[in-house]
Amino acid sequence: ILSMISSLLNNLELKHNKRIEFKLHQNITEKTSELNYESLLDSTIYDKMFLASDIANGNNFMNMINNMKSCITNMLVLIGTIYLIIHVNVIILIFSVLSVFVNTIISSKLSKNRLKTRKETTNSIRVLEYIGRIAWHLDYSKDLRLFDFKDYILKKHNIENNKVLHRIYKDYNNDTTASLINLIFSIFQNV
């Protein structure tokens, strides 16, 4: 019965994901239209607008919601498990709580790192998108070839691209380390 209810709720969630995404974009557009022109020229404000739009795009916002939902579900499962384990053996409870505690701390740090990565790479991603538009847009590509800006543009693209990749690779390494630590604690818990 719970699985059927979960399936129905997931179906409802999928139906409302796009509505929420479009509402977020509408809110961003409204806030942006209320800004004065000088604010739009400020790169920090523009970066914040770009970051908000990036979070609202696709499943980014819904992934955040799903992570919160998953956290609440895991806490409920943990409470039920603790209740059952207390009646069996307290040592098992200690390993379980320790495992969940370590997993929670690691997940929290990873989430903070991902948000930090998004903030740090927002400007570089905007530059990369701008360079991409220059390279393929007919009006700009003519000037690019006419005034021989190709080398400069490619060099700028490589610099920004390497900044973003370096930061993303660092996150991947952190994710791998965290997965290994969680796996070790999970093995101890299962044993």
Side-chain angles (χ1 to χ4, degrees):
I1 291 172
L2 289 174
S3 294
M4 287 170 45
I5 292 171
S6 176
S7 178
L8 290 171
L9 289 175
N10 285 337
N11 187 20
L12 286 172
E13 179 185 322
L14 289 172
K15 288 180 179 178
H16 295 293
N17 281 355
K18 278 296 177 194
R19 184 178 56 81
I20 291 171
E21 179 186 337
F22 279 67
K23 182 65 177 169
L24 287 171
H25 280 293
Q26 181 182 355
N27 289 345
I28 292 168
T29 302
E30 287 172 4
K31 293 289 183 190
T32 304
S33 66
E34 293 171 0
L35 292 172
N36 58 28
Y37 185 72
E38 291 80 25
S39 297
L40 290 175
L41 297 176
D42 184 357
S43 66
T44 57
I45 291 177
Y46 199 82
D47 283 347
K48 288 178 182 178
M49 290 174 4
F50 185 84
L51 181 62
S53 179
D54 184 44
I55 289 172
N57 278 337
N59 293 325
N60 292 330
F61 182 74
M62 292 316 298
N63 285 341
M64 223 168 33
I65 299 294
N66 287 333
N67 286 340
M68 287 174 24
K69 184 178 73 172
S70 178
C71 185
I72 292 169
T73 303
N74 289 337
M75 290 304 290
L76 292 174
V77 168
L78 176 65
I79 291 169
T81 305
I82 288 172
Y83 177 77
L84 291 174
I85 291 175
I86 285 176
H87 290 79
V88 177
N89 191 336
V90 177
I91 294 173
I92 296 173
L93 173 67
I94 292 170
F95 276 115
S96 297
V97 170
L98 182 64
S99 176
V100 170
F101 181 71
V102 168
N103 188 15
T104 303
I105 289 173
I106 290 172
S107 295
S108 174
K109 286 186 178 184
L110 287 176
S111 293
K112 287 178 184 175
N113 279 343
R114 286 188 194 109
L115 182 61
K116 186 177 177 186
T117 296
R118 267 214 163 107
K119 287 180 179 178
E120 288 178 0
T121 58
T122 296
N123 188 48
S124 293
I125 290 172
R126 276 196 314 116
V127 169
L128 288 170
E129 287 181 357
Y130 177 72
I131 291 171
R133 282 194 304 271
I134 288 173
W136 65 263
H137 196 275
L138 288 177
D139 294 338
Y140 300 131
S141 62
K142 180 176 65 175
D143 292 338
L144 182 71
R145 286 155 181 79
L146 186 64
F147 297 110
D148 199 28
F149 284 135
K150 184 182 84 168
D151 291 337
Y152 171 77
I153 292 294
L154 289 176
K155 182 179 177 185
K156 184 71 174 166
H157 187 275
N158 285 335
I159 290 170
E160 297 302 324
N161 199 36
N162 287 335
K163 280 185 200 175
V164 173
L165 284 176
H166 175 73
R167 184 65 193 164
I168 289 172
Y169 289 164
K170 188 175 177 183
D171 281 353
Y172 286 166
N173 290 337
N174 290 339
D175 287 350
T176 302
T177 303
S179 294
L180 290 173
I181 292 170
N182 285 336
L183 179 64
I184 290 168
F185 273 93
S186 179
I187 290 170
F188 276 121
Q189 182 180 353
N190 289 334
V191 168

